[in-house]
Every structure is written in C-alpha cells, then in structure tokens.
Amino acid sequence: MPIATPDAGAESAGPTVAVVGPGAIGTTIAAALHEVGRTPMICGRSPRDCLELTGADGRIVVPGPVRLDPAGLDGTFDLVFVAVKSTQLDSAAPWLSALCGPRTVVCVLQNGVEQEALVAPYAAGGPVLPSVVWFPAQREPDGSVTLRGEPRITVPDVPGAGVVLDALRDTRCAVDVAQDFRSVAWRKLLQNAVAGLMVLTGRRAGMFARPDVVELALGYSRECLAVARAEGAVLGDEVPQAIVDGFRNAPADLGTSILADRQAGRPLEWDCRNAVVRRRGRAHGIPTPISDLIVPLLAAASDGPG
Ligand SMILES: NC(=O)c1ccc[n+]([C@@H]2O[C@H](COP(=O)([O-])OP(=O)(O)OC[C@H]3O[C@@H](n4cnc5c(N)ncnc54)[C@H](OP(=O)(O)O)[C@@H]3O)[C@@H](O)[C@H]2O)c1
C-alpha cells in the first residue's frame, strides 16, 4: 500500500489549519490536507504518534504526534475544523480558546442543524461555519480510520466558506457550497433522526423490511418534515418516503454511528439528531408525538441513570 507523504517542495501559502478531534471525520480531513502538503495541526485527547486513513486506493499516514494540551500554543489559526462529537464539545472548549482568534473561521464537521449556536460560545467571535458531512468513515479498534466513499462536505454560501474552499482545494475532499444550506442540513437531519430508531431496537437497516417499522419511520419522518418546514427548509412531500426507502433499500447490515455508539456504551448524539426536532417543534407550536416518545428513551439510553 502506498504511504503518502507531503511533497517537501509543496510550500502552501494557504490558510493555517488545525483539526480538533482526530476521529473518523477528523482523520479523513487531516489526511486529505496532508496528502497535498498542507498538514494541519492535530488536536486530540488520546496519545497517538500518527493518524492513519485507509481508503479504497491505499493508506495515508499523517505524522503526529497528536497534540494533547492546548496550553502553551502560540498563535491562532485561519481555519479550525471541529470534528469532535457534539457530546464532546464542552470538553474540547480549551482547544477552541487556544486556537481561535477573532478572524478564525471555525468549520463544524458534525451532524445537526444547530452547529453555529452550539459552537459560537467557544469561538473568539470569528465566523462559525456549519457543514453537512456526506461520507461514511469508521474508526477501527487500533485507532486507524477506514474511509467508505468519497469525502464530501457541504457548507453554506457565506464569506467564511472561502477559507474552507481554499484549504481543501485540490484535495480528495470535495466542498459543495449551498445557497440554501438550511434545506440541505434539514434533509440530512431527517435521515439522522430516523436512523435513531435503530438505537431503540439495537438493529441495523434490515429492520426497515418490517411494514410496522416503515409505518413508524414514515410517521416520524413526516413529523420532522413539518418542523423542518417551519424552520424555513424547503423540502417536498416526497422526502419522508425517500428517506425510508433509502433505509429499506440499504444493505441489511448497514449501521449508523449512533447505533455504534450505543453498542459501545458511549454517550449518544441524541440531542442534536433527535431532540432538536421536538425542541424546534415546540417553539413553533407543532405537535411532535413521536419525538415525545423517542427522545426520552434515547436520552435515557445515552445518559441513564440506571
Ligand atoms: N463517522 C461518520 O461516518 C460520520 C458521518 C457524518 C457525520 N458524522 C458526524 O461527525 C462528527 C464526528 O464524528 P466521528 O465519527 O468522527 O467521531 P469520532 O470518530 O468519535 O471522533 C471524535 C474524535 O474527537 C476526539 N475527542 C473527544 N473529545 C475531545 C477533546 N476534548 N479534545 C480533543 N479531541 C477530542 C476523540 O478522541 P478519542 O480518540 O480519545 O475518542 C476522537 O478522536 C459527529 O457529529 C458525527 O455524527 C460522522
């Protein structure tokens, strides 16, 4: 397998970049940057000498070590990718304090539709750019990451997007800029919300072969759609069926990261993937009876007690 190293002569005058959270998504972005000679600073919480990404076309090793202590960092960065889980944001706050100045663009590589509001309090007043992450990547027991699919993210068409485009230009990670980012983000959220049903059964996509599960998933997806529209997303009536069909037609063993987290006993991203629908629904006076049932169960599965 080829091991990519940056071209020593490939000096980049592009933005200075740090990646906070070198997990599945953070490693993919770091590897995409390293591969073209733009190795970012890597900020994590577990010691690692290097990061490893394995894709269909080989292996990329990003030299480390992973930095573990924000104290003593000198200077701020043009662009900080935040790739910790939403449940890990509080604990990553010291990194953001150290890495961000008033002009730093913070690009949030997380699921959800509230990324700006959640991350802005930790940034230093610069733009916080939400994103939709489209590629599946998986952490292996040895800490390496397996990339499944072509890396691609979508960001909104706002001034901060230019820094992300500059940083990822000519890398293996494509960046789409969406005029109507809100609709794109809510479409993905509907999919994530329905995937949460797998946590409650402990089963993978094969469960969507059951007509009763399809009926529940369609009802839930329609409930999410009503809230999404109230939030300004422009999504057609066909979206709930398309989302459920996506799960029904997927390989029976297709999982989801929230199911993997549940099976590993880790905290779940239930708030940003599911509770947000109930929260925003209440704000608009929209009944969310399915969320009212599902959200407390996901929350309890994640956080206990018991
Ligand atoms: N993976 C996917 O296919 C995928 C696809 C779409 C969207 N997403 C979303 O992308 C986000 C990131 O997911 P992921 O799958 O990449 O998660 P992940 O593999 O669990 O990676 C999170 C990384 O953050 C590190 N971390 C945790 N707390 C930290 C702290 N306080 N300071 C610094 N680093 C810290 C973790 O360190 P440790 O190594 O110590 O755990 C880990 O390396 C989530 O919102 C997820 O829903 C993921």
Side-chain angles (χ1 to χ4, degrees):
M1 293 268 199
I3 297 179
T5 49
D7 175 354
E11 271 302 308
S12 163
T16 54
V17 184
V19 174
V20 179
I25 300 303
T27 294
T28 305
I29 295 295
L33 291 165
H34 173 70
E35 199 176 20
V36 297
R38 298 177 207 143
T39 310
M41 176 180 284
I42 303 162
C43 309
R45 67 170 180 187
S46 301
R48 207 98 55 76
D49 291 336
C50 61
L51 305 181
E52 284 182 51
L53 180 78
T54 304
D57 57 350
R59 191 166 70 110
I60 301 170
V61 176
V62 186
V66 171
R67 287 181 181 250
L68 302 176
D69 186 0
L73 280 189
D74 195 16
T76 57
F77 283 71
D78 298 323
L79 173 62
V80 175
F81 285 109
V82 175
V84 297
K85 291 220 155 123
S86 58
T87 50
Q88 299 163 331
L89 210 42
D90 283 348
S91 71
W95 280 117
L96 291 174
S97 303
L99 297 166
C100 297
R103 283 191 295 279
T104 302
V105 173
V106 179
C107 180
V108 189
L109 302 169
Q110 287 179 344
N111 276 314
V113 291
E114 297 174 313
Q115 298 160 356
E116 270 175 281
L118 291 174
V119 173
Y122 302 114
V128 174
L129 205 67
S131 75
V132 174
V133 176
W134 295 109
F135 55 94
Q138 185 181 314
R139 269 209 292 178
E140 305 299 341
D142 65 359
S144 67
V145 170
T146 304
L147 175 62
R148 304 188 189 284
E150 299 290 315
R152 184 165 71 89
I153 63 172
T154 299
V155 295
D157 188 8
V158 294
V163 182
V164 177
L165 285 167
D166 271 0
L168 289 171
R169 177 165 293 123
D170 301 327
T171 70
R172 66 170 62 210
C173 182
V175 183
D176 300 333
V177 177
Q179 299 284 333
D180 183 9
F181 178 79
R182 186 188 301 265
S183 300
V184 176
W186 271 97
R187 173 78 168 67
K188 174 84 190 291
L189 187 88
L190 262 63
Q191 192 177 317
N192 283 333
V194 171
L197 296 174
M198 292 192 233
V199 170
L200 301 177
T201 59
R203 301 232 174 222
R204 297 179 180 218
M207 74 182 216
F208 290 91
R210 291 181 62 98
D212 50 4
V213 169
V214 165
E215 194 182 330
L216 172 63
L218 268 176
Y220 184 33
S221 194
R222 287 185 186 122
E223 177 175 303
C224 297
L225 177 65
V227 175
R229 285 173 168 169
E231 287 282 296
V234 180
L235 296 173
D237 291 340
E238 74 289 354
V239 168
Q241 187 68 57
I243 283 173
V244 175
D245 286 348
F247 285 109
R248 204 167 39 177
N249 297 329
D253 64 350
L254 178 86
T256 169
S257 66
I258 195 167
L259 175 62
D261 284 340
R262 173 70 184 131
Q263 289 173 335
R266 293 188 289 258
L268 308 178
E269 292 185 299
W270 60 271
D271 191 72
C272 75
R273 294 172 60 129
N274 298 90
V276 58
V277 174
R278 189 168 63 151
R279 196 163 49 243
R280 299 313 306 159
R282 282 189 179 164
H284 293 288
I286 297 172
T288 55
I290 299 178
S291 296
D292 293 345
L293 178 68
I294 286 171
V295 170
L297 296 174
L298 288 171
S302 171
D303 306 344

